[in-house]
Structures are given as structure tokens and as C-alpha cells.
Amino acid sequence: MAEPLVTHSGLAGALMIDNVDTDQIIPSREMRTVSREGLADGLFAGWRYESPGSRTLRADFVLNRHPPASILISGHNFGCGSSREHAVWALAEFGIRVIIAKSFGEIFHGNCYRNGVLPVTLPAEDVDRLASSCDGQVIDVDVRAQTVSARALPGWTGAFAIGAYSKRLISEGLDPIRLTLKEAGAIAGFLERDRIDRPWVYN
Amino acid sequence: MATLFDKLWGMHRVADAGDGYDLLAVDRLLLHERTGGVALKSLEEQDLPVVHAARCFTFMDHIVSFRAGRARNEARSPGGETFILETRRLSADAGIRIIDTDSPDQGIVHVAGPELGIVLPGFTVMCPDSHTCSLGALGALAWGIGSSEAEHILATGTIRARKPRQMRIRVTGELRAGVTAKDLALFLIARHGAQGGNRCAIEFCGSAVDALSMEGRLTLCNMAVEFAAYTALIAPDERTLDFVRGRQLSPAGEGLLEAESHWRTLSTDAGAVFDTEITLDAGTVTPQVSWGTSPEETIALDACVPEGSNVRALSYMGLDSGQRLEGLTIQGAFIGSCTNGRLSDLKMAADQLRGKKIAAGVRGVCVPGSQGVKREAEKLALDQIFIEAGFEWGEPGCAMCFYAGGETFPSGARVLSSTNRNFEGRQGPGVRTHLSNPAVVAASAVAGYITMPQPAQPLGETA
Ligand code: SF4
């Protein structure tokens, strides 16, 4: 299960490219099992390593810095392309907690919340400003207040939108299944009544 | 003033699920070997138990071999055996009933599900397959889901869903002789576009829908997803109740009476308002054939490909604007699938084949949608008609409806198919799929080119 994320202060890494698609995030050749684990190694494999298949790190790739970033900054339409959930699994396992982008691929966006990664959409100018001033610096994210701030940008605060349900998933570190299981009482109550109303469903 | 969809939604609503979503109770979860195993595996890895295994069913249909005399684990696609074995193991471990490859009940989930009484009116039925909307024909709330939603249902018995907008499609008048539910569906999609359903839940009604057999209704609802509908629904009537009665898992005795009195209440109130309404005169529909690579690229069998048509589709299909479809030479004919793989479909095809042979250069394949359909067809000796005409008579499954690797028609082959999708490569790399009703497929296989079926011969007992 994901760690609850209520506030997060972490190092930012800027990957200022539009349309980073899920196949770049986790190339299909790196998805060797049906399992959701062991994917961090293949994260951005095409960009992170010297050559396909190699594991020699490219010094100039943003996620190869030490200590590693936990906040990724990117452009428009981050996570577009194939609906593979592996992309988020790989990012989460690598340690990315927040992605700040100009916009997101829709399915990827939904997949983030259920896997403990917070997608933050900010206006393009703000994202560009963060990328130029805060690459390698600390950014502070507050899920309760729905704000982003940065020590390198004193006086600036960015506000982001998040639905109440998604906010719960992120701030309690739950996935939809575990959140629904908290409704066990309501579900049991429904089934008890329904067994009387429509017994043929349960035979 | 509520629609049937509103009522069924309300009846299954367990709780508010936040951000505009509701938590709905799921009465039946249907899995198949292509996607079901993945969902079960993921739950297993997360140590989450399956909560209502008795209301889940696993079907083997998508990649099972359709070769006559197939082996228990034989797949039609390379590597497919693993999916069959894994899904079987994971389902058995979870205590889920498997309608296995060698079961007398086996078949395509949307064909065998209703046949076995697994799907009943008023149920919520979910399956990780886009043609789950077929099952709305029984008055069930049914739609296709993704793998993570399947996991959610397995682990909680519920689904988070956002109520869609609603559309009513009223089909007035009656279908002419030789015009089927498939033609009606293709006609609707051609007229209003492949996005015409606009993510709405559609209720089909009107005299022409009332007059459809249950099989015809399943065909009509099956195509709703090709119309970009959220799902489709037909209010249950006496024909629905007759269909459901006596099935393997249908209620019986007192329980049946109680269920039937509930089912009879399932209809849209007179004054209920839909977001959109479409009316269609069934009498204007004629046999349809798709020419392009989207189901909306469909015309009357005797019409010409419209001027100014999508160039990419034309080039893939090897056609020109203005060209007639009638008379085009074909190399393949496929009859089967969850759209048109039921007994009435096989009968109408056999009527065109009786005493005839398919043309040289045409490969004909007929795969009944389920073992039940196959048995009934063989009782009527339809298999003999198909085989004598030169058709292959396969073992039930999705078969050549979609390409999953493995053997298929050759690239460039023009194939008339009773299925629901004519996308590029759907039946294999370069294969040119034309969708039509099964009688058109059969008649054209005999002719060797696209042609209008013969009027059905009255068989003595009915005029
Ligand atoms: S027959 Fe075709 S459309 Fe129907 S479930 Fe199988 S693959 Fe899907």
C-alpha cells in the first residue's frame, strides 16, 4: 500500500517534454511479468540508460541524480498513450510521489490516485517557472490545502484541483478497493435487504 | 417518473462513492480467459480474497481453439495455452465456477451466459469485455469494465460507477422480410455515426424491438458499443420471461413466480424524460454491408460506396468511391461470434446453403456461439448443411471474430463476416472485413461475391 500523502517536501526533477507517453515511462520490453512489482528498474529505460537493454546510467538524465527526485515536473499530456497501469507502478516504485505537469493523459491521471502518486495540474507558465527555478530544489506540496510552493520562489503559491474521493485515496494511502472495503457495513446492509427483496439473485 | 435504467441503478445503489460516483452492487461478474486471469492474479498478489465467488463465472471463449476435436488446453493463438491454464487455476483457487473448454455449457460469454440463466432480468452484470452490453437485451444492467474494475468487484462485490446520460431509441413499424436486427443496428450506426450513442445508456423500444426474438435483441444490444453507447437495455416482456424460464440457473417454482412478478415491474414510466431521443422507421431498413474500417462506414447492400469517402479506409479495403459492393469477389465467409452466433443466425445461413456449395476460392467458417447452440443446430442437421456446402464447422468460441495471432484469412482477403467490428486488422493483418447479417454471408459465400440472399423458403409449417 502507498504511504499516505498529506504534505510532501521533496526534490524536484524537471523533464520538460510534452506528450511523455506510457511506453516511454515503461517500455513494453521492460514489462516482463504480469506482476506489478519490479518495474522501477525499467522506468524510462530508453532515456535513463546508455543503450537499450543496458543498465549503464546516463549521467545527464534527470532521474539519475543523487539523491533522486521524488517530484517530477513535466509538460503537456504527461502519461498519454496506452492505458498500461505499469507506468504508474514503475514511477511509484522508483519513489515518485508527485507529478506536476501542464496536463495529463486521462487514464494515467486516474491511475495515479489509485497508486499513491499525486498528479498536480498547474497553469503552463507556473510549470515552466517551477522547472526553471526549482530543478534540483525542494518543492512543498500540501494536499489538504491543495497548494504547491517552493523555497526558490518565495511568495509564490500554486493551487490545484482534486476531487474529494481522489483526495481521500491519496491522503489515506488507499486504493479504491481498500477504500470501498471501509464501506463494508453499508454493503452488508444492502445485501441483507436485497436477499429478502430479490432472493433469486443469491441462489 | 423514472426510466428503467434509473430504477435498476437505484435498486443496486449501495452508497455515494464520492466525486459523482455511486457504489453499485454487482449481481454477476463474468470473466474470460483473456482478461479474467490478469484480474485474479493481481488480487492474489495483493492478498485480497474474492468475496462472492458463487456469483462469479469464468468462461473460456476468446482464445480457445475452434478446431473440430480441439484438445482441452488448445489455444488458437501462440502462447494462448498459458492464459487458459492460468485462468483455470486462479478461478479454481478462488472457488469460481469455470465453464471450461470441455464443458457441455461452454461458449462465448455473451451467448452462453443468457443460455445458462446466469444473466437474468434486472441483474447488474459486469464483464471485462466491451460487448457485455449485449446482455441488456434481457433487461439487465450490463456493461464492459476494465481489469482494475474487475478486481474491485471480485474484492468487494461492488463497482464504482458514474451514472451516464440516457438515450431512448424508438424503432417504429416493422422490419421487412429478410431484414434482421443486425441490419437495424448497422443502419442506425451508419445514419448517426459510430459516436452517435455519445456514451449514453440506451433503451431500445418500439414495435420493431418488441417484435424481435430474444436472439435478435441480443444482436441489437451487442452492437450498441459500436455506437459508442455506455450500454443498451430492453425492458423485459413476456418473451424475455419465456426465454429465461427453465434455464439451468434460473429460479424455479415459488422463487420463479416471485422473480417474475418483480421482472414484470421493470419498465420505464410513461412520463420519464431521456437526455436524447431517436426515432427510426424499421420499414426503411434494408440488408446492410459495411464497406470501410468502422461500423459507421456501412451502406445498403445494393448501394455504392459514397463519394468522398475516407481515403485510408478505401485503400485498406481496396475500394474506390462510387464502387458497388454487390458483385465484389470475396475470399472468406465467417459466421459466428456474440453478434450472430446463435441458433436463428445459423438457421438463416443454412437456408441459403441448403443443397448448395460455396464458390471455389472462398473459405467458409461457421463457429456456433456455444455448445448449446451447436447441439441444437446439430439436432436440426444444420451442421450437415454447412459441411456439405463446404463450410468448416468449428468448436464454440470467439474464433475468427478477432485476431489473436495464429491462423486466419490471408492478408488482402475480402471477408464477409457476421461479427461486429471491421477495424483494420481485426480479423488478421490486412484482412478486409465486411460486416453483414449471416444470410448475406452465406448467400455471398455460395455466389463467390457479395450478393442479396434468396428470400427464405417457407418450410411448410409456417407461411
Ligand atoms: S465474439 Fe468477438 S466481440 Fe464477441 S466477445 Fe468474442 S471477441 Fe469479443
Side-chain angles (χ1 to χ4, degrees), chain B residues 357-374:
Chain B
K357 292 241 176 290
I358 59 178
V362 176
R363 178 181 178 196
V365 178
C366 176
V367 178
S370 71
Q371 300 290 349
V373 171
K374 184 165 179 265

Side-chain angles (χ1 to χ4, degrees), chain B residues 34 129-131 133 182 186 222-228 290 292-295 337 339 400-402 415 417-427 431-436:
Chain B
R34 193 155 180 256
D129 183 276
S130 50
H131 291 94
C133 53
K182 176 67 161 293
L186 286 171
N222 177 272
M223 297 291 289
V225 70
E226 308 312 328
F227 192 49
S290 72
T293 54
S294 156
S337 87
T339 315
M400 293 170 111
C401 173
F402 87 102
V415 177
S417 182
S418 76
T419 53
N420 49 38
R421 284 187 172 157
N422 54 344
F423 304 157
E424 278 186 30
R426 171 74 177 181
Q427 289 187 299
V431 175
R432 294 165 168 164
T433 303
H434 292 271
L435 305 174
S436 73

Side-chain angles (χ1 to χ4, degrees), chain B residues 165-187:
Chain B
R165 283 172 305 135
Q166 297 179 54
M167 176 186 290
R168 175 159 56 189
I169 300 183
R170 187 184 296 281
V171 191
T172 58
E174 52 183 313
L175 290 172
R176 294 194 232 165
V179 179
T180 68
K182 176 67 161 293
D183 301 302
L184 175 59
L186 286 171
F187 180 87

Side-chain angles (χ1 to χ4, degrees), chain B residues 64-349:
Chain B
V64 299
S65 168
F66 58 95
R67 191 179 63 81
R70 70 174 172 222
R72 180 167 149 83
N73 300 328
E74 188 177 327
R76 67 187 174 90
S77 55
E81 191 178 317
T82 318
F83 284 83
I84 297 174
L85 294 170
E86 273 285 273
T87 304
R88 182 183 290 141
R89 178 189 72 76
L90 289 157
S91 301
D93 286 355
I96 295 172
R97 175 171 163 193
I98 307 163
I99 323 266
D100 216 331
T101 51
D102 51 2
S103 157
D105 298 327
Q106 182 262 343
I108 305 171
V109 52
H110 315 309
V111 177
E115 244 174 34
L116 297 172
I118 290 172
V119 179
L120 295 173
F123 276 13
T124 41
V125 185
M126 305 291 143
C127 172
D129 183 276
S130 50
H131 291 94
T132 307
C133 53
S134 313
L135 306 171
L138 282 88
L141 214 56
W143 62 80
I145 53 174
S147 191
S148 45
E149 289 172 304
E151 289 173 38
H152 190 278
I153 297 168
L154 284 163
T156 70
T158 62
I159 185 167
R160 286 186 80 239
R162 200 203 293 259
K163 198 171 175 188
R165 283 172 305 135
Q166 297 179 54
M167 176 186 290
R168 175 159 56 189
I169 300 183
R170 187 184 296 281
V171 191
T172 58
E174 52 183 313
L175 290 172
R176 294 194 232 165
V179 179
T180 68
K182 176 67 161 293
D183 301 302
L184 175 59
L186 286 171
F187 180 87
L188 173 73
I189 298 167
R191 171 176 290 190
H192 294 277
Q195 299 302 319
N198 209 5
R199 302 297 302 147
C200 290
I202 293 176
E203 181 176 345
F204 286 108
C205 67
S207 52
V209 175
D210 296 341
L212 286 177
S213 67
M214 283 314 293
E215 302 199 349
R217 293 179 189 183
L218 284 156
T219 302
L220 179 62
C221 291
N222 177 272
M223 297 291 289
V225 70
E226 308 312 328
F227 192 49
Y230 186 87
T231 188
L233 188 61
I234 296 174
D237 59 8
E238 289 308 313
R239 186 165 290 173
T240 318
L241 271 49
D242 286 343
F243 175 89
V244 159
R245 222 170 276 135
R247 306 259 161 203
Q248 196 183 112
L249 295 173
S250 295
E254 280 296 308
L256 176 64
L257 294 180
E258 195 184 355
E260 288 189 342
S261 63
H262 168 78
W263 293 336
R264 289 196 174 94
T265 67
L266 299 178
S267 63
T268 289
D269 294 334
V273 180
F274 288 78
D275 298 285
T276 320
E277 302 245 12
I278 289 179
T279 304
L280 204 71
D281 176 2
T284 60
V285 182
T286 57
Q288 304 283 304
V289 178
S290 72
W291 63 263
T293 54
S294 156
E296 70 181 2
E297 291 168 340
T298 290
I299 52 179
L301 189 153
D302 53 5
C304 299
V305 177
E307 292 299 334
S309 288
N310 169 359
V311 178
R312 183 179 167 128
L314 287 172
S315 115
Y316 181 83
M317 294 300 290
L319 294 171
D320 290 318
S321 286
Q323 196 170 346
R324 284 182 75 82
L325 292 184
E326 205 168 4
L328 271 183
T329 307
I330 62 169
Q331 289 79 41
F334 177 68
I335 295 170
S337 87
C338 60
T339 315
N340 282 131
R342 300 184 181 81
L343 188 64
S344 56
D345 301 312
L346 272 45
K347 272 190 192 160
M348 75 170 87

